[in-house]
């Protein structure tokens, strides 16, 4: 009987050890990811720049009006990052020559868009990111046999890239034939240099953050960006290097974590979507913010310009306004910041932003592992969650006995 009593804890210990060893890489990666001391919300918006002029200029000015109404506890306005596209096709020249030509944001027709962007930058509510010279790979479009694509290329400018087939909106592969084919290192280096130089001419500073169109890119693109001064790449938590036979992003590498280093760049991860045109309500953003805050991560919400240009644009602005009004009331300690500043804090471990106490780090790690598929169930079944919660409760009691408030992010258990 005594031997059986001894065998039970030994068997439990062996099972726990086996489970932890099996998931060790994921668990260690989650532990190494920096933990934020404060809840952070950033709205990441894609596809602005070259494209429809009047609706974009109007939408951008309206967004400035909404964003400047609110402030966080430090007095900073909400920040919407704008992933900027720098050019669209020059349809008349393409029709006349049969060769690809572009119209860039330097063209006078886009002056109202640039003026609205600059207004938001000066107000501190817009932060610019490089999305691409184009939201596609021009030779892939020129090689396409789709009559609709050819008609789109030859139409009078400015073109709306959202109307392209999804697979052809990827810039860093040749998706004219599926599965896609990789671009050469020489093509990539030339294109990256060209887009960075154009961005610098237009906006007066080199880009620090890149958002790969459709999140399809590879390590060659990443290294080329780094050589041109890009410091941060926004990701969905993985890197897709190709489009498969069905045209879907594939050849995935990941998961990628906040603050993780790539090819001389730092990754940040978008948490969720906020697309009012798809019926997303503020409650979705509240849920995402709560989850990321519990995990000691920033909440980066992805949205697109199409929400604010279409027939539902007024409803989208009202939904955004509702989100900001309610979230600032619900989270008094909320911080607004731009993505480049977030990446810098993650990379350097800035103590005013990054949790340094073991207890705070452990609390965030618990929240992270509880969303891991399969492992979270084993974590609970084996009683590991009970043990960890008991440790955290004892730590809370110790803090209470010292009459000191732990300087950490909002606690969620």
């Amino acid at each position: 009987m005594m031997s059986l009593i001894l065998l039970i804890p030994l068997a439990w210990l062996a099972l726990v050890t086996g489970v932890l060893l099996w998931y060790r890489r994921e668990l260690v990666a989650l532990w190494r990811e920096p933990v934020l001391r404060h809840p952070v919300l950033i709205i990441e918006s894609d596809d602005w720049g070259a494209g429809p002029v009047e609706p974009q200029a109007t939408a951008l000015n309206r967004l400035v009006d909404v964003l400047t109404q609110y402030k966080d506890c430090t007095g900073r306005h909400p920040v919407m990052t704008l992933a900027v596209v720098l050019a669209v096709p020059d349809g008349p020249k393409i029709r006349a020559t049969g060769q690809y030509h572009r119209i860039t944001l330097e063209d006078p027709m886009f002056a109202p868009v640039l003026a609205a962007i600059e207004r938001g930058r000066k107000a501190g509510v817009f932060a610019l990111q490089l999305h691409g010279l184009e939201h596609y790979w021009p030779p892939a479009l020129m090689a396409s046999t789709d009559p609709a694509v050819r008609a789109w290329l030859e139409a009078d400018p400015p073109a709306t890239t959202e109307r392209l087939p999804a697979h052809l909106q990827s810039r860093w592969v040749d998706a004219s034939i599926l599965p896609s084919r990789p671009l050469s290192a020489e093509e990539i280096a030339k294109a990256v240099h060209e887009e960075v130089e154009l961005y610098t001419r237009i906006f007066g500073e080199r880009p620090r953050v890149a958002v790969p169109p459709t999140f399809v890119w590879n390590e060659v693109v990443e290294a080329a960006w780094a050589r041109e001064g890009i410091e941060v790449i926004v990701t969905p938590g993985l890197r897709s290097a190709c489009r498969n036979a069905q045209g879907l992003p594939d050849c995935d590498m990941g998961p990628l974590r906040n603050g993780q280093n790539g090819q001389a760049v730092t990754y940040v991860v978008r948490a969720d979507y906020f697309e009012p045109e798809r019926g997303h309500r503020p409650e979705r953003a509240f849920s995402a913010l709560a989850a990321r805050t519990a995990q000691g991560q920033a909440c980066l919400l992805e949205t697109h310009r199409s929400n604010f240009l279409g027939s539902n644009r007024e409803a989208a602005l009202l939904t955004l306004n509702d989100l900001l009004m309610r979230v600032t009331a619900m989270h008094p300690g909320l911080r607004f910041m731009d993505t480049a500043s977030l990446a810098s804090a993650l990379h350097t471990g800035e103590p005013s932003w990054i949790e340094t106490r073991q207890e705070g780090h452990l609390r965030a790690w618990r929240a992270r592992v509880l969303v891991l598929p399969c492992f979270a169930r084993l974590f609970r079944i084996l009683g590991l969650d009970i043990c960890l919660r008991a440790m955290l409760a004892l730590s809370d009691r110790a803090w209470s006995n010292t009459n000191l408030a732990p300087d950490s992010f909002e606690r969620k258990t």
Side-chain angles (χ1 to χ4, degrees):
M1 183 67 178
M2 184 63 70
S3 60
L4 181 60
I5 293 174
L6 290 173
L7 280 175
I8 292 174
L10 288 174
W12 176 84
L13 185 59
L15 185 57
V16 167
T17 302
V19 169
L20 294 178
L21 286 173
W22 183 263
Y23 287 95
R24 66 189 183 279
R25 289 184 180 177
E26 191 78 4
L27 298 177
V28 169
L30 290 174
W31 179 260
R32 287 177 175 171
E33 181 180 341
V35 173
L36 291 175
R37 300 168 70 92
H38 315 286
V40 172
L41 179 65
I42 304 173
I43 301 170
E44 293 245 325
S45 191
D46 293 350
D47 302 341
W48 299 93
V53 177
E54 191 281 328
Q56 275 199 101
T58 299
L60 288 164
N61 279 308
R62 295 287 302 279
L63 285 167
V64 173
D65 294 339
V66 170
L67 295 167
T68 51
Q69 292 182 57
Y70 301 97
K71 294 181 180 179
D72 65 14
C73 61
T74 69
R76 177 154 193 185
H77 294 302
V79 178
M80 176 177 278
T81 65
L82 303 183
V84 180
V85 177
L86 304 175
V88 289
D90 187 335
K93 283 189 178 181
I94 293 174
R95 289 198 305 267
T97 67
Q99 304 294 317
Y100 182 77
H101 295 271
R102 62 173 60 97
I103 298 178
T104 76
L105 268 177
E106 293 178 300
D107 191 281
M109 81 162 65
F110 294 117
V113 174
L114 290 178
I117 290 175
E118 188 58 26
R119 179 182 171 225
R121 291 175 74 189
K122 287 182 177 179
V125 296
F126 289 163
L128 303 190
Q129 302 172 336
L130 173 64
H131 208 20
L133 179 52
E134 287 104 350
H135 204 300
Y136 49 84
W137 184 243
L141 263 61
M142 294 298 292
S144 175
T145 58
D146 185 341
V149 173
R150 191 70 193 184
W152 183 87
L153 278 168
E154 295 181 355
D156 291 337
T160 303
T161 54
E162 291 91 335
R163 295 180 181 176
L164 284 172
H167 65 281
L168 289 176
Q169 292 186 42
S170 291
R171 173 163 172 77
W172 298 114
V173 292
D174 180 353
S176 58
I177 299 175
L178 297 173
S180 65
R181 294 167 293 186
L183 307 178
S184 71
E186 292 75 16
E187 289 176 305
I188 290 170
K190 180 180 177 182
V192 165
H193 178 75
E194 190 173 14
E195 67 182 21
V196 168
E197 289 301 307
L198 178 58
Y199 179 105
T200 304
R201 282 203 310 274
I202 294 171
F203 297 112
E205 61 185 22
R206 298 185 76 79
R208 296 178 59 197
V209 183
V211 183
T214 74
F215 290 122
V216 174
W217 84 104
N218 60 24
E219 70 280 359
V220 180
V221 178
E222 200 168 289
W225 269 332
R227 288 194 299 271
E228 295 291 340
I230 295 293
E231 302 169 10
V232 184
I233 295 181
V234 177
T235 82
L238 53 83
R239 183 177 70 205
S240 298
C242 72
R243 289 271 184 172
N244 62 25
Q246 290 71 47
L248 300 175
D250 208 336
C251 312
D252 298 337
M253 188 279 286
L256 305 177
R257 303 291 178 191
N258 285 299
Q260 181 179 335
N261 293 326
Q263 302 287 320
V265 296
T266 299
Y267 299 129
V268 295
V269 180
R270 288 183 178 174
D272 207 330
Y273 292 94
F274 180 65
E275 309 278 12
E277 67 180 352
R278 299 184 183 181
H280 295 175
R281 303 298 304 160
E283 288 75 15
R284 178 178 180 131
F286 301 156
S287 178
L289 177 60
R292 295 298 166 172
T293 298
Q295 296 173 41
Q297 299 167 334
C299 181
L300 277 65
L301 295 176
E302 178 176 325
T303 191
H304 292 80
R305 73 175 179 183
S306 57
N307 289 279
F308 307 102
L309 302 185
S311 59
N312 295 320
R313 58 187 178 275
E314 292 298 326
L317 284 166
L318 288 172
T319 303
L320 175 62
N321 184 73
D322 189 27
L323 164 63
L324 294 172
M325 178 175 61
R326 294 165 62 185
V327 80
T328 49
M330 292 165 59
H331 294 272
L334 182 66
R335 303 296 204 277
F336 297 127
M337 65 192 311
D338 62 88
T339 307
S341 298
L342 170 65
S344 178
L346 294 171
H347 182 69
T348 63
E350 170 58 44
S352 63
W353 285 100
I354 304 301
E355 178 64 77
T356 56
R357 293 183 307 107
Q358 185 93 345
E359 182 270 345
H361 206 104
L362 192 60
R363 189 179 296 276
W365 182 80
R366 172 183 173 265
R368 294 170 183 179
V369 302
L370 286 176
V371 296
L372 283 180
C374 300
F375 179 80
R377 189 178 220 176
L378 293 171
F379 192 66
R380 290 189 171 100
I381 291 173
L382 293 173
L384 295 176
D385 191 36
I386 294 174
C387 296
L388 186 51
R389 291 178 70 179
M391 289 173 57
L392 292 170
L394 288 173
S395 176
D396 286 345
R397 187 172 300 175
W399 274 108
S400 178
N401 290 339
T402 61
N403 294 317
L404 293 174
D407 185 14
S408 181
F409 61 88
E410 290 182 354
R411 295 182 171 191
K412 308 283 183 182
T413 59

